[in-house]
């Protein structure tokens, strides 16, 4: 592990502010209880009114589906809650910022994007410095990419040989990204090439990594994998059972139940689940593994690196499934389509999936606190605070506190780096491979 500058952090700790990041310390993390009726009791973290099939169009739609085909998986519930064309959270809501339901690191401080630009330039320059293809997966409103481009422009780093791709599923978010990056309000066409004003970078939107050019590529993801659907499994006296979502005709609300019989996913992961002795509850995301392998394949074939940041753990957490509304933790079933739904990323699962691809190597995971200090967040904060008013200095330090303190994002947010095996240098912010 690279050394961490401790003194400035002690100075920053005196600036206290409430956390408004997606993870809350009081999130439900206990094992799911099973009643005599095999229904799973999962209470809301805070007291919020639950929607019913009479008040929520998605609950009505899902209840009809359940009445016809039986309980659905948590993964199917997440997919519909977030991306349903008519009712999905990401397709209808402005989800980021103070007016949304959560704030991500790029929204907290410009320093975050500036430091990731440093990571990118170090990776690119130490591995040939040829054409630069930068891909952000799940770019939100485009804030992070905008900050990175600003640093590249200031450093006069590359020009017409820089290719930027945004992997984005939501048409609404693609429009927001275009407004920020291109100063135009329109619906970008997938794979159509645009030019970023005043810098002549190529910019495209993609919805499949196969649409990328065959060139050395640097991927950045920030809170992407936590939104991918998960399957949840509970250990019982009868063995591992998948947790499903059912509809209660009396309350007209959704509820958790255990699968009455073995599901397709419990059969697929039977050997893995049977090997677990230290957990009563497991969350598995095949879609995360598929995306991880797609990233690794591109790096293996074309060279480059990937920086993956998210709330997560290394195979030790159990129940992390939760919802967010106005920066407050709520039960995921309480109002689907109108709340954000997420689950912590198992970085061990990602690394094991990616390791099946030849010619790649992994670094980390390291905490966000360590990662940002290794990139010089204290130096950048001090420089930015010079010649500022006391109020502006406090605002800068408060933002840094949110990013690095253990009470906020510092220890809860992890980073994993994937490199082509031909890369000879450890990535900035990391030390040796795990």
């Amino acid at each position: 592990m690279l050394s961490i500058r401790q003194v400035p952090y002690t100075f920053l700790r005196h600036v206290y502010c409430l956390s408004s990041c997606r993870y809350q310390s009081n999130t439900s993390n206990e094992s799911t209880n099973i009643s005599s009726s095999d229904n799973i009791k999962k209470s809301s973290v805070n007291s919020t009114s639950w929607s019913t099939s009479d008040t929520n169009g998605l609950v009505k739609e899902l209840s009809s589906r359940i009445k016809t085909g039986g309980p659905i998986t948590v993964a199917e519930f997440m997919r519909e809650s977030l991306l349903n064309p008519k009712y999905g959270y990401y397709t209808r809501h402005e989800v980021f910022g103070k007016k949304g339901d959560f704030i991500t690191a790029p929204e907290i401080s410009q320093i975050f994007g500036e430091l990731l630009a440093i990571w990118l330039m170090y990776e690119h320059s130490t591995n040939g410095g040829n054409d630069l293809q930068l891909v952000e997966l799940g770019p939100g409103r485009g804030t992070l990419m905008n900050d990175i481009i600003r640093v590249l422009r200031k450093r006069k780093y590359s020009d017409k040989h820089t290719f930027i791709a945004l992997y984005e599923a939501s048409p609404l978010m693609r429009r927001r990204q275009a407004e920020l990056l291109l100063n135009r309000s329109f619906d970008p066409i997938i794979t159509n090439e645009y030019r970023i004003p005043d810098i002549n970078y190529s910019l495209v939107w993609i919805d499949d990594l196969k649409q990328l050019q065959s060139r050395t590529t640097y991927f950045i993801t920030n809170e992407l994998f936590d939104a991918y659907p998960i399957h949840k499994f509970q250990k019982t006296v009868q063995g591992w059972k998948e947790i499903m979502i059912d509809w209660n005709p009396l309350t007209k609300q959704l509820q958790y139940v255990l699968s009455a019989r073995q599901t397709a996913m419990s059969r697929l992961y039977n050997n893995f689940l049977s090997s677990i002795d230290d957990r009563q509850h497991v969350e598995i995301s095949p879609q995360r593994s598929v995306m991880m392998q797609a990233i690794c394949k591109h790096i293996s074939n074309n060279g480059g690196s990937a920086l993956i940041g998210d709330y997560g753990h290394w195979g030790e957490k159990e129940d992390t499934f939760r919802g967010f509304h106005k920066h407050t933790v709520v039960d995921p079933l309480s109002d689907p389509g109108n709340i954000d739904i997420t689950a912590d990323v198992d970085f061990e699962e990602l690394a094991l999936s990616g390791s099946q691809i030849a010619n790649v190597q992994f670094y980390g995971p390291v905490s966000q606190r360590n990662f940002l200090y290794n990139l010089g967040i204290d130096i950048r904060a001090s420089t930015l605070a010079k010649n500022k008013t006391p109020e502006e200095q406090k605002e800068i330090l408060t933002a840094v506190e949110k990013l690095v303190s253990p009470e906020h994002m510092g220890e809860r947010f992890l980073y994993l780096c994937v490199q082509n095996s031909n890369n000879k240098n450890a990535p900035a912010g990391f030390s040796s491979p795990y």
Side-chain angles (χ1 to χ4, degrees):
M1 184 73 64
L2 299 178
S3 61
I4 303 170
R5 304 175 181 91
Q6 300 284 1
V7 176
Y9 176 72
T10 303
F11 168 67
L12 291 171
R13 282 183 57 85
H14 82 279
V15 183
Y16 176 77
C17 60
L18 292 176
S19 172
S20 56
C21 57
R22 190 185 294 204
Y23 185 98
Q24 301 286 336
S25 60
N26 62 344
T27 185
S28 176
N29 197 36
E30 62 274 5
S31 297
T32 310
N33 298 320
I34 305 171
S35 70
S36 57
S37 63
D38 275 350
N39 284 350
I40 296 175
K41 300 176 180 177
K42 189 178 178 76
S43 61
S44 178
V45 178
N46 71 325
S47 57
T48 58
S49 58
W50 276 47
S51 60
T52 68
S53 55
D54 292 333
T55 62
N56 183 301
L58 184 56
V59 174
K60 182 177 181 180
E61 183 176 303
L62 293 177
S63 67
S64 298
R65 186 182 308 180
I66 290 170
K67 283 186 285 187
T68 301
I72 62 176
T73 65
V74 172
E76 186 176 358
F77 169 77
M78 284 188 70
R79 191 176 300 109
E80 291 298 319
S81 297
L82 298 177
L83 296 175
N84 183 282
K86 185 176 181 180
Y87 300 110
Y89 178 72
Y90 287 141
T91 57
R92 297 189 304 118
H93 293 275
E94 295 286 355
V95 303
F96 299 98
K98 294 180 180 179
K99 295 182 179 180
D101 292 315
F102 57 89
I103 296 178
T104 60
E107 307 282 343
I108 292 174
S109 173
Q110 69 180 67
I111 297 177
F112 179 81
E114 292 170 350
L115 294 179
L116 264 60
I118 291 173
W119 175 88
L120 170 67
M121 288 186 290
Y122 177 85
E123 280 294 282
H124 180 245
S125 62
T126 58
N127 291 290
N130 298 317
D131 292 353
L132 172 60
Q133 180 165 245
L134 171 61
V135 182
E136 185 179 359
L137 300 100
R141 292 191 298 193
T143 304
L144 174 58
M145 185 57 69
N146 192 51
D147 287 337
I148 291 175
I149 291 172
R150 176 169 47 79
V151 174
L152 297 180
R153 180 187 289 114
K154 184 176 181 180
R155 299 285 186 93
K156 297 181 179 179
Y157 197 88
S158 190
D159 47 24
K160 63 181 180 180
H161 300 295
T162 296
F163 305 87
I164 296 175
L166 300 179
Y167 179 91
E168 177 59 66
S170 167
L172 174 61
M173 297 315 300
R174 288 199 291 265
R175 173 177 283 271
R176 294 293 176 265
Q177 293 150 17
E179 290 172 353
L180 182 61
L181 299 176
L182 299 177
N183 299 318
R184 295 168 53 192
S185 182
F186 73 107
D187 295 319
I189 300 172
I190 295 296
T191 70
N192 196 53
E193 184 176 359
Y194 303 92
R195 309 302 298 188
I196 298 177
D198 303 324
I199 197 169
N200 201 32
Y201 286 180
S202 167
L203 174 63
V204 299
W205 277 265
I206 62 171
D207 54 14
D208 191 320
L209 296 193
K210 294 178 181 178
Q211 296 162 347
L212 291 172
Q213 299 183 44
S214 299
R215 62 176 77 246
T216 304
T217 305
Y218 300 91
F219 295 89
I220 291 179
T221 77
N222 181 67
E223 296 196 46
L224 168 77
F225 284 92
D226 67 322
Y228 278 147
I230 60 168
H231 291 265
K232 293 170 67 67
F233 300 90
Q234 178 72 34
K235 182 181 284 187
T236 73
V237 292
Q238 292 85 27
W240 286 94
K241 291 182 176 292
E242 185 165 5
I243 296 172
M244 311 290 284
I245 308 296
D246 203 354
W247 183 70
N248 188 323
L250 299 178
T251 63
K252 298 183 179 181
Q253 295 172 337
L254 298 172
Q255 65 181 16
Y256 300 92
V257 297
L258 289 177
S259 57
R261 60 185 62 85
Q262 194 175 40
T263 64
M265 295 305 296
S266 60
R267 286 193 296 270
L268 180 63
Y269 287 96
N270 180 64
N271 291 339
F272 170 73
L273 292 169
S274 299
S275 68
I276 297 175
D277 297 322
D278 55 347
R279 286 187 283 174
Q280 303 297 311
H281 190 108
V282 174
E283 298 169 342
I284 299 174
S285 175
Q287 192 170 345
R288 289 175 184 169
S289 297
V290 169
M291 175 55 78
M292 190 70 209
Q293 290 190 348
I295 292 172
C296 290
K297 285 179 182 177
H298 191 89
I299 292 173
S300 175
N301 294 333
N302 301 285
S305 308
L307 181 66
I308 299 164
D310 225 312
Y311 291 103
H313 59 98
W314 190 257
E316 74 273 4
K317 285 190 178 181
E318 298 190 36
D319 179 14
T320 70
F321 188 48
R322 59 196 184 274
F324 281 86
H325 181 64
K326 301 301 180 184
H327 310 283
T328 302
V329 179
V330 298
D331 192 290
L333 304 191
S334 61
D335 197 16
N338 295 316
I339 61 176
D340 180 40
I341 297 177
T342 181
D344 281 5
V345 176
D346 185 344
F347 279 86
E348 184 180 33
E349 179 185 12
L350 291 186
L352 290 174
S353 300
S355 296
Q356 298 178 32
I357 306 301
N359 199 35
V360 294
Q361 57 190 357
F362 287 80
Y363 292 79
V366 297
S367 69
Q368 176 164 291
R369 174 174 176 262
N370 289 6
F371 179 68
L372 295 182
Y373 270 119
N374 289 338
L375 291 177
I377 190 172
D378 51 340
I379 297 173
R380 178 55 184 151
S382 298
T383 301
L384 194 62
K386 284 182 179 179
N387 302 320
K388 295 291 194 300
T389 66
E391 292 76 17
E392 291 171 330
Q393 290 178 346
K394 183 177 180 179
E395 183 179 351
I396 292 169
L397 296 178
T398 296
V400 173
E401 168 80 358
K402 290 181 180 181
L403 293 175
V404 301
S405 73
E407 290 81 5
H408 301 305
M409 298 181 72
E411 299 294 339
R412 296 166 180 162
F413 208 93
L414 302 179
Y415 287 88
L416 185 72
C417 185
V418 187
Q419 283 187 339
N420 184 286
S421 296
N422 293 329
N423 293 14
K424 304 303 180 184
N425 300 292
F430 297 81
S431 54
S432 58
Y434 78 89

